[in-house]
Amino acid sequence: MTPLRLGYLYGLAAYLLWGFFPLYFKLLRPTGPLEILAHRVVWSVAFVALLLAAMRNIGFLRALLRQPRALVGIGVAATLIAVNWFTYIYGVNSDRVVETALGYFINPLVVVLLGVLVLRERLRPAQWAALGVGGLAVAVLTVDYGRLPYLALILAFTFGGYSLVKKRLGLPAAEGLFVESAVLSLPALVFLGWLAATGDATFGHVSAKHTVLLVLAGALTAIPLLLFAGAANRLPLTALGMLQYVAPILQLGCGVLIFHEPMPPARLAGFALVWLALIVFTVDALRHARRSRRPRPAGPPAPTPVRTAR
């Protein structure tokens, strides 16, 4: 199998797993979002630690501890992803899967906006148009919901900020996930200990199946990220950008077709505007990538320097 095909396989597998996450989190009821988040953190550390030990790659921690700026960045990334995970779990288990899907639809537009606000990037006209249509979509959905779709906005901005910090850190997927989860593991363990002490923990008290599903949270967190890293190393950025819409499409399908969440005409119109913005954004990205790959015409030959006798 060629590296390109393998990249598509890895990317599709990652986004398929992320797309069906609502089905998994629904199975974890009656566990609350904070307890699910804590288990996700703790079992992620355990799973990735075993993976790194098998890869004999624990030594990277010594080098990382000597980089205080990187440690601060990891702390910021860990905070952002924890808020993102909690918001997503809360949204799924409060029957708002459609709104969580919206968050990941608008995430590419938020990443572009963060590029302007944080990195001072200059946008092309089509990108400005996509942002404008995306803003109009949020306004339409605000009228439909009777409030800002704050779950979607929190998901989009926290994941966009997380992506920005991760890009600057440049850590490999497994190592990055291990350190981020390790930063969160102490408060997670304290919270789980407090739940156990007060008798409010659900772990081990619902059913054997429920307990196994909570333990699997670590593997189900790490495996898609590792698949995504494998895809990112083999695919062009434009191809990876096209694949990213697989997950929210599946999440939206879960919300509407499986969990029967309402999709009134005004909400559908808001989503249609989001999709229009994404079409404009994607077409512009493809055109720009095609132009950048075109060979530039050769310029006139450089003049031959004239040697003077000495």
Side-chain angles (χ1 to χ4, degrees), residues 1 10 27 38 48 77 91 102 142 156 166 202 207 226 229-230 265 271 288:
M1 186 178 292
Y10 285 158
L27 294 174
V48 181
L102 174 65
T142 298
K166 290 281 284 185
T202 61
S207 67
L226 296 176
F271 269 85
H288 183 71

Side-chain angles (χ1 to χ4, degrees), residues 48 52 57-78 165-166 168-183:
V48 181
L52 292 174
N57 198 20
I58 297 294
F60 80 97
L61 283 171
R62 288 192 294 270
L64 192 61
L65 290 173
R66 295 193 291 268
Q67 303 175 50
R69 291 185 65 181
L71 292 174
V72 171
I74 289 166
V76 173
V165 174
K166 290 281 284 185
R168 290 190 166 186
L169 288 173
L171 290 176
E175 288 83 345
L177 178 62
F178 175 78
V179 178
E180 291 158 18
S181 300
V183 168

